[in-house]
Amino acid sequence: MSTTKSAIVSIVGRPNVGKSTLTNQLVGAKIAIVSDKPQTTRTRITGVISKGDCQFVFLDTPGLHKPRSRLGDYMVKIVNDTVSDVDIAALVVEPTTHIGPPEQELIARIKEYKMPSILLINKIDTVKSEQLLSVIAAYSQLHEFDAVIPISAKTGQHVDIFFKELEKFAIESPQLFPDDMISDQPERQLVAEIIREKMLALLDREVPHGIAVGIERMKEREDGLIEINAVIYCEKKSHKGIIIGKNGAMLKKIGAEARKDIEELLETKVFLELWVKVKEGWRNNQYQMRNFGYEDE
């Protein structure tokens, strides 16, 4: 095995700072869904990239927020567990001098566990350099980070500098993942997340938060085409109508957009069939959450 060093990195921050966009940029492939709606990422997503003799393992986490359901509690627990369980924490923030409760809480965790940490100031393409200096000064008063790197997760600007800094924290270890592996997520989970991403983009703001996607069947035919039956679960009957749309137009649009990305992921033609069912209050039901992969055994 060629890799002799590894670094496990948690990517943490408030919702919508660009953690999933950054994870995809670091790995060089889409493994985490992206949306402008808060709490898009619901569970911990592992991204893997091997560079030379070093393997980097990135843990993309849900945004730290005030939980309002059992699902929210689960998401916050993942963030807290991930911060304590890695070689280095990367705190992703927006280029503003206002340091809110989520950032303060994450910095407190980093201090508590005496962890190496890197501050990533994202979206630098949206601010002037003098503003950036003020942001760096504000965070430097709160904590002495091992490195502070202004980046753009969208364009990949300064991501190479981030990798160079991470190398300093890589430790000798056996190879953690095969060379060609970029994520530990099963294909079914990736497919379900792609469908959810399209709904986040196309639906009203409040509807997607009560949505989960279950893959009932995923089968490859002899001609190579993959048949996928997926069920979209929502919490209200009124939401079911919105998801289906007039004469099924919205559901068709979700399916068409999801199919494109799924075909790219699986590198083959896909036949995708979507159904919609109501499961009231599933976000507060431990059994149903576990069914959707959101609860530890």
Side-chain angles (χ1 to χ4, degrees):
M1 290 198 180
S2 57
T3 302
T4 56
K5 292 191 294 182
S6 71
I8 301 175
V9 188
S10 66
I11 298 174
V12 296
R14 68 163 64 227
N16 284 90
V17 287
K19 298 182 298 299
S20 295
T21 303
L22 176 62
T23 301
N24 293 338
Q25 182 72 247
L26 292 165
V27 174
K30 184 170 181 172
I31 60 160
I33 66 168
V34 176
S35 145
D36 62 357
K37 293 186 173 74
Q39 293 144 54
T40 298
T41 303
R42 286 175 171 171
T43 191
R44 187 165 80 179
I45 294 164
T46 306
V48 184
I49 186 89
S50 300
K51 284 181 174 285
D53 67 345
C54 193
Q55 191 169 71
F56 300 98
V57 180
F58 298 103
L59 305 177
D60 178 22
T61 61
L64 190 62
H65 65 286
K66 206 168 187 173
R68 293 194 174 90
S69 65
R70 194 167 205 150
L71 176 63
D73 291 336
Y74 164 76
M75 288 156 69
V76 169
K77 183 178 182 292
I78 282 175
V79 180
N80 291 333
D81 289 353
T82 304
V83 173
S84 63
D85 225 8
V86 294
D87 299 319
I88 182 164
L91 174 61
V92 185
V93 301
E94 301 215 309
T96 169
T97 52
H98 172 71
I99 302 172
E103 288 81 14
Q104 290 177 29
E105 193 176 325
L106 287 163
I107 288 169
R109 292 257 169 214
I110 288 164
K111 285 180 172 176
E112 183 189 338
Y113 297 116
K114 298 183 173 62
M115 292 195 65
S117 58
I118 292 177
L119 180 69
L120 298 175
I121 303 168
N122 192 22
K123 306 178 185 177
I124 55 163
D125 41 317
T126 63
V127 290
K128 296 190 173 108
S129 51
E130 51 268 30
Q131 283 175 272
L132 219 44
L133 292 172
S134 308
V135 179
I136 293 166
Y139 276 95
S140 298
Q141 286 175 357
L142 264 191
H143 181 60
E144 196 179 327
F145 290 90
D146 292 274
V148 177
I149 309 167
I151 62 157
S152 170
K154 196 183 266 187
T155 66
Q157 191 180 354
H158 296 166
V159 160
D160 55 334
I161 298 169
F162 181 41
F163 273 116
K164 278 188 190 126
E165 285 297 329
L166 289 177
E167 272 179 46
K168 298 174 186 174
F169 300 95
I171 53 171
E172 281 193 23
S173 89
Q175 189 165 335
L176 301 173
F177 294 94
D179 278 333
D180 58 351
M181 192 169 177
I182 57 167
S183 180
D184 66 344
Q185 287 191 100
E187 279 182 348
R188 277 173 173 256
Q189 191 177 339
L190 288 165
V191 166
E193 284 289 272
I194 286 170
I195 296 165
R196 194 165 68 86
E197 179 186 58
K198 301 312 167 194
M199 289 189 287
L200 283 161
L202 294 168
L203 295 171
D204 290 342
R205 191 161 279 275
E206 86 279 4
V207 177
H209 290 304
I211 281 170
V213 180
I215 304 299
E216 302 271 298
R217 182 169 167 270
M218 194 162 157
K219 189 185 175 197
E220 187 173 356
R221 294 196 326 209
E222 280 182 19
D223 60 2
L225 182 136
I226 294 177
E227 292 180 1
I228 300 169
N229 288 3
V231 180
I232 296 163
Y233 295 95
C234 58
E235 288 189 311
K236 296 177 182 175
K237 280 183 184 169
S238 60
H239 288 178
K240 182 178 178 178
I242 294 167
I243 295 163
I244 293 170
K246 195 176 178 183
N247 301 322
M250 179 54 77
L251 195 61
K252 278 180 197 158
K253 195 171 183 185
I254 292 163
E257 295 204 6
R259 197 187 72 248
K260 279 185 224 159
D261 279 16
I262 294 165
E263 286 182 340
E264 207 172 296
L265 171 77
L266 302 177
E267 296 178 341
T268 187
K269 287 282 175 196
V270 164
F271 173 76
L272 176 64
E273 200 162 25
L274 299 177
W275 303 88
V276 186
K277 291 182 182 176
V278 179
K279 263 201 197 307
E280 288 182 18
W282 71 263
R283 281 184 290 180
N284 282 306
N285 183 307
Q286 191 169 4
Y287 171 74
Q288 287 177 1
M289 276 176 52
R290 194 172 285 165
N291 271 353
F292 299 132
Y294 298 135
E295 190 85 355
D296 298 328
E297 291 295 336

